[in-house]
Amino acid sequence: MKTTTTLLLQGLWLAGFAMAQDSSSSQEVRTLSGSDRRLTSEVSQVTLPSDFEGSSFATGTMSMSGVSVSTGAPNTTASMSSTSKTNTLTQLVGGTPTTLNGTASSTSAAPQPSNTQPCNNYPEFCTRKYSNITEVCAHNSPFAVKRNVGSNQAYGVTAQLNDGIRMLQGQTHDVNGTLHYCHTSCDLLDAGTVEDYFRDVTNWLQSNPFEVVTILVGNYDYEKKDDNGNPLVTSKNYVDPIEKSGLMPYIYQPPKTAMEVDDWPTLGELIISGKRVIMFIDYNYDTDAVPFMLWEFYNMWETPFSPTDINFPCTIDRPDGISDEKAKKMLYMANHNLNVEVSIGSLSLLIPNTVQLNVTNGLNGTGSLGLQSNRCTDDWGRPPNFLLVDYYNEGSFNGSVFEVAARANNVTYDRECCGTKSLAAPILSGPSAPFLGLVVAVAFSLFL
C-alpha cells in the first residue's frame, strides 16, 4: 500500500471522523478499519487504484448521509455504515476543524486534510517506516516486583505502554510445560505466565488502536533438551499462549524472514491492516512452523549487552560475524542497562547500578543514554531503532529516556511521565528465606 493511500485513509477516517468527539456526544467514534475488532462502525468498502496519488481529495465531495465519500479519483470510493444520520462530525481541512451536520453535503477546494491522529504517540510517525523510528525498550519488562533483586522495572506492562514504551523484552522459562516470565530462576522472581502477560498486552492494544508494539522474547531454556534430545523450548511453544491470550490477530507476518530496513511497512500501513505487533525471539526460532515469530538476529543486531563500561560502545556484539555493510541494512538495538560489579567472598556479581540512573537514563554526559544515541547515530548513519533501558521512569528528569528517543526521531516530546495513568506494580515481598542463598548464587547471571 502506498504512503499516499495511508495519508488518504488517515486524513479521511482519522481526521474526518474520529477527532473532537467527547464522551457525551451521540456520535460513534470511527477509527481505522481492522485495527480494533470491537468497533461498532466500520468501513464497508474501500477501492483504491494502484496508481492513486491522493491529490484529488481536496476537490472531492462528501455526502454525510450514508456515509459515502468520493475523492474525484476514478474507482476510489469509501462507504461507511452509520447508526445515525444526524450526528455531528468534524472534518479537518488544512488542519482547521470544520463542524458539519450529519445530513449535510460539502464541497471543498481547501488544502488536503492534515493528519493529527498520533501513531505511536506522534502524527509524524504514521507515514514513517517501522524501521525509521527510535523507540524505548523496557529491559525485562515483566520484572517489576518491588524489593526483589531480579527486578528491572518499577511499573507493570500496562503502565509501561501508557508511558510510551513500544518494545517489550523479557526472559521466559518452562515450568512443567507452561511458559513463565522468570528472572534466572522462578524461585527468585516469577512474574507469572507468558499467557497472562500477553493478555495484558492484548487488552492494551484493544484500547489503543493506533499503536504498534514490538515484543522480543528471550528464550532462557534454549539449551535444554527433551527426552529425545530435541530442544525443549522453540518458537512453537509460544503459539499456545499467543492464541489463548488473544494476541494472534494483531501479529504482523513479514513477507520474508530476514527483513532489511527498506522492506518494513509504515506504521500507518500496519495500523490500517490491524497487524500491530512485531514479534522476535532470540534463540530456537522455527520460522517454517511459526513464520510470524522472527529470529532476532536475522533482522536485528545489538550493541554490547549488560555492560559495566559507562562508555557504552556502539559496536556489534550479537550476532557474530556480520559485516558493517550488512549491519547498516538491519534494525539495531542499543543496550543501555548499566551494571555494577561487586564481590562477595569468591563471587563476582553484576547487579543494576541504580545509583547512576539519573545519568545513565539522562540526556547528556559520560554514560548517558543521550550520548550513546548520538554516538551510534554518528557511527552508523542513523539512530538506533531501540534503546534498551532499566527503570525507564528514572533519569535526569521524568521521561528523559523518551526525550532522548524524541530527539533521535526529530519530534517534540511533551507527554506526561511516568506511571501516572495506571497503578505501579504491587509491592511484594522478596524471596522467602530458603532462597536467600540462591539470590546470591545466581545474581552474577541476572543480566546475562
Side-chain angles (χ1 to χ4, degrees):
M1 185 181 299
K2 288 188 176 182
T3 299
T4 50
T5 302
T6 304
L7 286 170
L8 170 68
L9 295 176
Q10 290 163 343
L12 176 59
W13 299 340
L14 297 177
F17 295 136
M19 308 300 295
Q21 298 298 323
D22 61 31
S23 58
S24 63
S25 172
S26 61
Q27 170 65 37
E28 290 182 346
V29 177
R30 292 164 174 81
T31 185
L32 291 173
S33 174
S35 62
D36 191 331
R37 298 179 181 275
R38 302 177 304 162
L39 296 176
T40 56
S41 295
E42 61 182 8
V43 174
S44 58
Q45 179 185 0
V46 177
T47 306
L48 298 173
S50 59
D51 60 348
F52 176 68
E53 293 299 333
S55 60
S56 302
F57 179 76
T59 58
T61 62
M62 178 178 289
S63 174
M64 291 300 176
S65 57
V67 174
S68 63
V69 177
S70 174
T71 68
N75 299 323
T76 304
T77 62
S79 61
M80 182 177 291
S81 61
S82 176
T83 58
S84 173
K85 295 182 180 180
T86 60
N87 294 336
T88 298
L89 303 173
T90 298
Q91 180 188 18
L92 294 186
V93 180
T96 303
T98 303
T99 301
L100 304 174
N101 184 275
T103 59
S105 297
S106 174
T107 302
S108 173
Q112 293 187 30
S114 299
N115 176 40
T116 60
Q117 171 61 50
C119 300
N120 281 27
N121 295 321
Y122 296 98
E124 297 94 329
F125 289 179
C126 295
T127 55
R128 288 194 195 178
K129 287 182 178 290
Y130 169 81
S131 54
N132 189 31
I133 299 171
T134 298
E135 299 283 14
V136 180
C137 173
H139 175 224
N140 282 333
S141 164
F143 307 148
V145 181
K146 300 296 184 181
R147 295 195 297 268
N148 189 300
V149 71
S151 290
N152 295 91
Q153 303 298 335
Y155 299 108
V157 65
T158 300
Q160 292 171 21
L161 292 168
N162 283 339
D163 285 336
I165 293 293
R166 289 297 176 269
M167 186 184 200
L168 306 168
Q169 185 271 345
Q171 181 188 113
T172 68
H173 293 238
D174 177 81
V175 181
N176 299 320
T178 300
L179 290 172
H180 283 236
Y181 273 112
C182 298
H183 207 167
T184 304
S185 167
C186 291
D187 293 327
L188 172 66
L189 187 155
D190 187 341
T193 66
V194 169
E195 179 183 332
D196 286 343
Y197 179 86
F198 285 170
R199 185 173 291 108
D200 287 342
V201 176
T202 300
N203 290 338
W204 188 87
L205 287 165
Q206 290 174 342
S207 300
N208 296 272
F210 304 108
E211 306 301 310
V212 175
V213 175
T214 302
I215 299 176
L216 173 55
V217 172
N219 181 7
Y220 184 83
D221 294 324
Y222 71 96
E223 291 183 319
K224 293 184 178 180
K225 307 292 183 181
D226 62 18
D227 294 339
N228 297 317
N230 299 314
L232 179 67
V233 179
T234 72
S235 52
K236 291 186 288 187
N237 296 78
Y238 295 87
V239 174
D240 184 63
I242 287 172
E243 291 179 338
K244 289 181 177 177
S245 68
L247 188 63
M248 183 69 81
Y250 293 98
I251 299 178
Y252 171 71
Q253 181 178 322
K256 54 187 182 181
T257 59
M259 298 280 283
E260 296 184 346
V261 291
D262 291 337
D263 298 327
W264 290 97
T266 66
L267 289 199
E269 289 166 345
L270 291 167
I271 290 166
I272 289 170
S273 73
K275 304 299 183 180
R276 300 186 284 117
V277 173
I278 314 297
M279 182 164 281
F280 299 99
I281 187 171
D282 57 358
Y283 296 111
N284 288 2
Y285 67 96
D286 187 341
T287 49
D288 289 332
V290 190
F292 60 83
M293 202 167 192
L294 299 173
W295 187 38
E296 177 189 3
F297 300 122
Y298 271 164
N299 297 274
M300 183 192 320
W301 59 269
E302 298 182 6
T303 64
F305 186 67
S306 292
T308 57
D309 181 0
I310 63 172
N311 291 309
F312 289 104
C314 292
T315 54
I316 301 171
D317 184 50
R318 296 189 299 174
D320 294 328
I322 62 171
S323 67
D324 286 358
E325 288 306 309
K326 176 64 176 176
K328 289 177 181 178
K329 298 178 181 179
M330 300 170 65
L331 304 173
Y332 78 102
M333 180 162 64
N335 288 308
H336 201 84
N337 54 309
L338 183 66
N339 298 310
V340 60
E341 187 173 6
V342 299
S343 296
I344 301 178
S346 61
L347 290 177
S348 181
L349 310 176
L350 286 175
I351 61 173
N353 191 337
T354 56
V355 174
Q356 291 295 319
L357 281 171
N358 63 323
V359 175
T360 304
N361 288 352
L363 299 181
N364 304 296
T366 302
S368 69
L369 182 65
L371 182 60
Q372 186 186 23
S373 177
N374 291 338
R375 180 183 294 123
C376 290
T377 301
D378 291 341
D379 289 352
W380 295 98
R382 58 187 175 91
N385 297 96
F386 306 106
L387 304 170
L388 180 140
V389 299
D390 286 333
Y391 296 104
Y392 74 90
N393 57 299
E394 299 287 346
S396 52
F397 59 87
N398 289 339
S400 60
V401 297
F402 299 112
E403 174 65 25
V404 172
R407 293 185 181 187
N409 289 313
N410 196 28
V411 295
T412 301
Y413 175 69
D414 57 3
R415 291 170 52 81
E416 187 177 4
C417 194
C418 295
T420 57
K421 294 185 178 180
S422 61
L423 296 176
I427 297 177
L428 301 178
S429 61
S432 58
F435 300 112
L436 291 180
L438 175 63
V439 171
V440 175
V442 301
F444 73 96
S445 61
L446 284 179
F447 305 98
L448 299 179

